[in-house]
Amino acid sequence: MNEALLRSLTPSVLGILVRRGADFAAAEDAVQDALVEAVRVWPTDPPRDPKGWLITVAWRRFLDASRADAARRRREDLVEEEPAPGPAPAADDTLQLYFLCAHPSLTPSSAVALTLRAVGGLTTRQIAQAYLVPEATMAQRISRAKRTVSGVRFDRPGDVATVLRVLYLVFNEGYSGDVDLAAEAIRLTRQLAAAIDHPEVAGLLALMLLHHARRAARTAPDGSLVPLAEQDRSRWDTGSIAEGVEILQAALARDRLGEFQAQAAIAALHADAPRAEETDWVQIVEWYDELVRLTDNPIVRLNRAVAVGEADGPRAGLVALAVLDDSLPRHAAVAAYLHERDGDPVTAARLYTEAARKAPNLAERDHLTRRAARLNTQQRR
């Protein structure tokens, strides 16, 4: 495999796709898929015209992705901006597609990645960020998943746990504002909850409702982020909160705790506090301990450090943070916040600036930059 040849052809192929009408981000995804396919095929079947081969394969990948994106947008048009409470409407085929993509022949991680790309309409870059892996690694994972299922019959749907993971990641992408899929994820989770009597399905629905209830208060009129502690709680959707808490209580009563129920319990404790100062951080730490036991996820441990800092003081939070890998996403932002609360504005400002450089989106970068600027201004006075 001539990797140098592939690298030399990439800019030209990318430019041709853009001139044919593909937007740059979609063209990048398509070319990357084509490069992965070339790595697989060329050693045993080298093409006579490498550039023409790459253009053909990349253009087909772009068309496939465009069709999937158009189908997703048609589904979104059917959904109101705020999901209505109560029983779900009659099911369409979208949820079935989620189950079919979660095929038993795939590993859970590959099934989730494939579903997010093929049905959810997310880009390879967004999926890689959700999984905390390099974009090239995720591109290869998705390509392998496509090859695995290309010759199998889709008559054995995947398991509920994988579908829940996909719905959760789709909701998070929609909630972040990069792709507006949060309401669609809630709609599909309602359908799943109506069809399957499972406490984790209920837990995921409760979690989505509790987070979605705060959506209107998450940004200021100028589009800037508003941290949870500073949000106008009168703008929270009390109806969604009440529904989410009711669903969660029924799920917890079944004594089959899972990670989505534990996350929903944390969200419910935030929603229950009339003011940020009245948040029951001790209970939140206890629920994070349950989440660590259930998942051993490094991001859960990072969030737990924040909770410990609120419950037991910033020094305790910094101790909990010290054992974690500082390359974790938002590690610098958490460290900055805890140092600020501990009375160390110099370190906090430096860490906010570092966190801003690593921020995954513009709104978060601007928020962190403003935090650093405020502390630097205070020091100069």
Side-chain angles (χ1 to χ4, degrees):
M1 168 55 59
N2 191 336
E3 294 185 6
L5 174 62
L6 285 177
R7 287 195 296 270
S8 68
L9 291 174
T10 297
S12 176
V13 174
L14 181 60
I16 289 172
L17 261 65
V18 171
R19 288 194 294 275
R20 285 185 178 184
D23 67 83
F24 189 80
E28 278 189 316
D29 277 344
V31 172
Q32 191 171 71
D33 283 349
L35 294 175
V36 172
E37 187 69 5
V39 171
R40 183 182 72 88
V41 172
W42 287 11
T44 57
D45 187 17
R48 293 182 179 179
D49 179 7
K51 181 177 179 179
W53 188 99
L54 283 173
I55 292 170
T56 299
V57 173
W59 185 247
R60 287 173 180 168
R61 293 291 194 276
F62 166 72
L63 292 177
D64 289 344
S66 297
R67 294 188 188 105
D69 186 61
R72 173 182 62 77
R73 292 182 184 279
R74 285 195 296 272
R75 291 194 297 273
E76 287 180 9
D77 289 339
L78 300 175
V79 184
E80 294 181 356
E81 183 176 350
E82 293 299 324
D92 58 21
D93 62 351
T94 306
L95 191 58
Q96 182 65 16
L97 288 173
Y98 273 68
F99 272 95
L100 291 177
C101 282
H103 197 271
S105 61
L106 296 173
T107 63
S109 60
S110 294
V112 170
L114 177 62
T115 313
L116 290 172
R117 190 72 179 91
V119 186
L122 275 64
T123 66
T124 302
R125 182 177 295 107
Q126 289 169 322
I127 302 169
Q129 290 173 347
Y131 268 90
L132 311 180
V133 299
E135 186 176 351
T137 300
M138 184 53 65
Q140 292 176 351
R141 184 180 298 176
I142 293 172
S143 294
R144 285 196 299 268
K146 290 177 181 177
R147 291 197 300 272
T148 299
V149 300
S150 62
V152 302
R153 292 180 59 191
F154 281 80
D155 55 0
R156 292 186 298 146
D159 67 329
V160 175
T162 300
V163 174
L164 288 179
R165 179 62 53 192
V166 174
L167 288 169
Y168 177 60
L169 289 174
V170 170
F171 175 81
N172 281 342
E173 287 296 337
Y175 194 64
S176 74
D178 294 329
V179 181
D180 189 12
L181 292 174
E184 171 73 350
I186 292 176
R187 184 180 72 86
L188 293 173
T189 306
R190 285 192 188 281
Q191 289 186 5
L192 189 59
I196 299 176
D197 183 21
H198 192 293
E200 271 295 83
V201 177
L204 178 57
L205 178 56
L207 176 63
M208 289 179 174
L209 290 170
L210 289 163
H211 279 310
H212 204 69
R214 302 199 299 259
R215 187 170 188 174
R218 291 183 70 243
T219 54
D222 63 359
S224 60
L225 287 181
V226 180
L228 177 60
E230 301 171 19
Q231 289 177 12
D232 178 359
R233 300 188 176 213
S234 68
R235 300 185 66 196
W236 290 1
D237 183 347
T238 55
S240 292
I241 291 173
E243 184 187 7
V245 169
E246 182 180 359
I247 292 170
L248 173 63
Q249 288 174 339
L252 291 175
R254 301 178 65 175
D255 199 24
R256 291 168 55 192
L257 184 64
E259 61 175 296
F260 293 122
Q261 295 169 73
Q263 288 189 57
I266 293 170
L269 286 166
H270 283 297
D272 187 53
R275 300 183 305 146
E277 297 80 10
E278 299 176 57
T279 304
D280 190 342
W281 286 105
V282 173
Q283 273 203 70
I284 288 176
V285 171
E286 291 173 355
W287 278 111
Y288 271 121
D289 289 340
E290 291 289 346
L291 263 178
V292 169
R293 180 181 62 81
L294 290 166
T295 69
D296 196 27
N297 185 297
I299 299 300
V300 171
R301 292 182 180 274
L302 186 68
N303 292 333
R304 179 185 177 276
V306 176
V308 169
E310 298 289 351
D312 301 326
R315 293 283 176 89
L318 288 168
V319 170
L321 186 66
V323 300
L324 302 180
D325 187 346
D326 61 9
S327 67
L328 284 172
R330 297 185 172 90
H331 184 284
V334 170
Y337 173 73
L338 292 171
H339 278 289
E340 181 182 2
R341 288 198 61 233
D342 194 40
D344 185 356
V346 175
T347 302
R350 175 179 58 78
L351 288 168
Y352 276 132
T353 301
E354 177 185 336
R357 289 196 298 268
K358 301 176 181 177
N361 56 66
L362 182 61
E364 188 170 334
R365 187 191 71 188
D366 290 347
H367 169 72
L368 294 166
T369 300
R370 283 194 295 270
R371 290 270 179 169
R374 176 177 54 80
L375 291 176
N376 285 326
T377 299
Q378 290 174 355
Q379 293 172 55
R380 288 193 293 267
R381 289 176 181 172

